[in-house]
Amino acid sequence: MELFNVYNCYDINLVNGKGSGISDDKGNKYLDFYGGHGVISIGHSHPHYIFRMEHQLHCLGFYSNAVRNDMQEKLANKLGTLSGYDDYNLFLCNSGAEANENALKVASFHTGKSKIVAIKGAFHGRSSGALAITDNPVLSSEFNVKHDVVFIEMNDIPALEKALGKNDVAAVIIEGIQGVNGVVEPSADFLKSAESLCKAHKAMLILDEIQSGYGRTGKFFAHQHAGIKADIITTAKGMGNGFPIAGVIISPAIKAWSGMLGTTFGGNHLACAAGMAVLEAIEEEQLIDNADRLGDYLISELKDNKAIKAIRGKGLMIGIDLEDMPKIRKQLLEEYGIFTGSSGSTTLRLLPPLSITKKEVDQFIQAFQKLTQIIMV
């Protein structure tokens, strides 16, 4: 049997990692400035993470939600405290797409409505409902396009008001920062309007913080820069530092009932150990402050580079628009051993671990400046 060939990937077989460093089976060393789509939040092979996971494997790796698991309760309490959503409730699942599916379902159950308002350029996952609210028709089959979804432009408050005008919307879903679309931020005014308009029209405001959450932007969630609260928040990528875990954070105004949601693997013992290790490391090592400080530093050091068309983002979620982005990205990897990401054909996307050091940030800056100076000449 061969693999189902759906990925364009580098011919690099990574076998080891520590902190922000990774190495392949040939002994080549790399600096990870992408974290596997922003998944690696506290660094590769973090000692506390390894301790937590190893200890849990010696105890109990898995049992289903047919039994009480007090590790889930501890994780929910810790997440509530660090995120500022301590009065909300947590449903644990396995992936960002699954989190968004469940968020949409909860909103529909609570409101009795089916229509969803989403944002143009959005990416919310590849399962059926998540694809329906993802603005990329190439990814959708006929099965996915049957949902009742309206797309509006980011930051278009009149369009949002119009979309909600008939009071038939279950939820408005917005990414804290759009990652796949080029690190595009909703404005504070737009988020504040979304909060008030959703309340007025009895719709749920869902913030997809799957990539932009867990401290990546210098706040626990990106939407907290705007000073708002969502009805439902989804989280995944950085939540388990590589172990599959995701969550739906749900307003106390929304009541649960037996069988409303369910999952076999979600919130299993090993996943909770990973989740607790991440939160403990974020708190003890002040990684949210580190992301805020080093993100500001990186942007300030690059903002005068003439090769950059635009630079966007907060904390350690940064997009850099470049005319020759694919070439620069390739050279960063091949000549300097630095992994980066991309959004489309023009945006270099940076999502390093929150534990990145200033020395490692300077390593990226020096390589980037040298490459872009060569191209500009």
Side-chain angles (χ1 to χ4, degrees), residues 17-19 42-55 241 277 281 285:
K18 188 160 186 66
I42 62 172
H44 298 277
S45 301
H46 190 288
H48 182 62
Y49 182 83
I50 292 171
F51 169 79
R52 271 278 196 180
M53 298 294 277
E54 183 178 11
H55 174 75
N241 203 49
E285 297 173 24

Side-chain angles (χ1 to χ4, degrees), residues 153-355:
E153 293 286 350
M154 179 74 88
N155 298 327
D156 190 338
I157 296 171
L160 178 59
E161 194 164 10
K162 181 179 178 182
L164 287 164
K166 294 182 180 178
N167 296 313
D168 59 349
V169 172
V172 175
I173 185 164
I174 306 169
E175 289 163 273
I177 297 178
Q178 289 185 334
V180 172
N181 194 38
V183 192
V184 175
E185 299 179 55
S187 70
D189 284 345
F190 183 68
L191 288 176
K192 288 174 181 175
S193 294
E195 181 184 38
S196 60
L197 286 167
C198 282
K199 280 184 172 65
H201 294 279
K202 295 181 170 54
M204 299 288 100
L205 176 59
I206 303 173
L207 260 295
D208 176 341
E209 294 278 6
I210 286 161
Q211 188 172 124
S212 56
Y214 260 70
R216 179 149 296 280
T217 68
K219 298 277 191 186
F220 198 92
F221 292 124
H223 70 268
Q224 291 172 321
H225 289 280
I228 68 156
K229 292 198 85 168
D231 297 298
I232 303 171
I233 305 100
T234 56
T235 182
K237 291 185 185 299
M239 193 173 183
N241 203 49
F243 194 93
I245 180 173
V248 188
I249 300 169
I250 302 166
S251 165
I254 301 172
K255 302 306 177 186
W257 42 268
S258 179
M260 181 183 190
L261 305 174
T263 168
T264 297
F265 297 103
N268 66 74
H269 295 73
L270 196 54
C272 287
M276 282 298 293
V278 167
L279 290 174
E280 287 162 350
I282 284 174
E283 181 180 34
E284 291 168 16
E285 297 173 24
Q286 300 181 319
L287 296 184
I288 296 177
D289 289 340
N290 192 60
D292 186 38
R293 180 170 46 83
L294 290 183
D296 284 350
Y297 171 70
L298 194 154
I299 290 172
S300 70
E301 289 294 303
L302 295 184
K303 63 182 174 58
D304 294 327
N305 185 309
K306 302 301 182 186
I308 295 175
K309 305 299 180 185
I311 185 165
R312 294 179 299 279
K314 283 186 170 69
L316 293 174
M317 185 172 183
I318 296 170
I320 304 171
D321 288 348
L322 299 160
E323 189 172 333
D324 295 302
M325 187 277 292
K327 180 179 178 181
I328 292 171
R329 186 183 178 212
K330 186 170 184 285
Q331 287 179 300
L332 281 168
L333 181 59
E334 293 180 352
E335 298 177 25
Y336 292 92
I338 301 176
F339 272 97
T340 58
S342 64
S343 298
S345 60
T346 60
T347 304
L348 189 73
R349 187 164 32 144
L350 308 179
L351 298 164
L354 308 187
S355 55

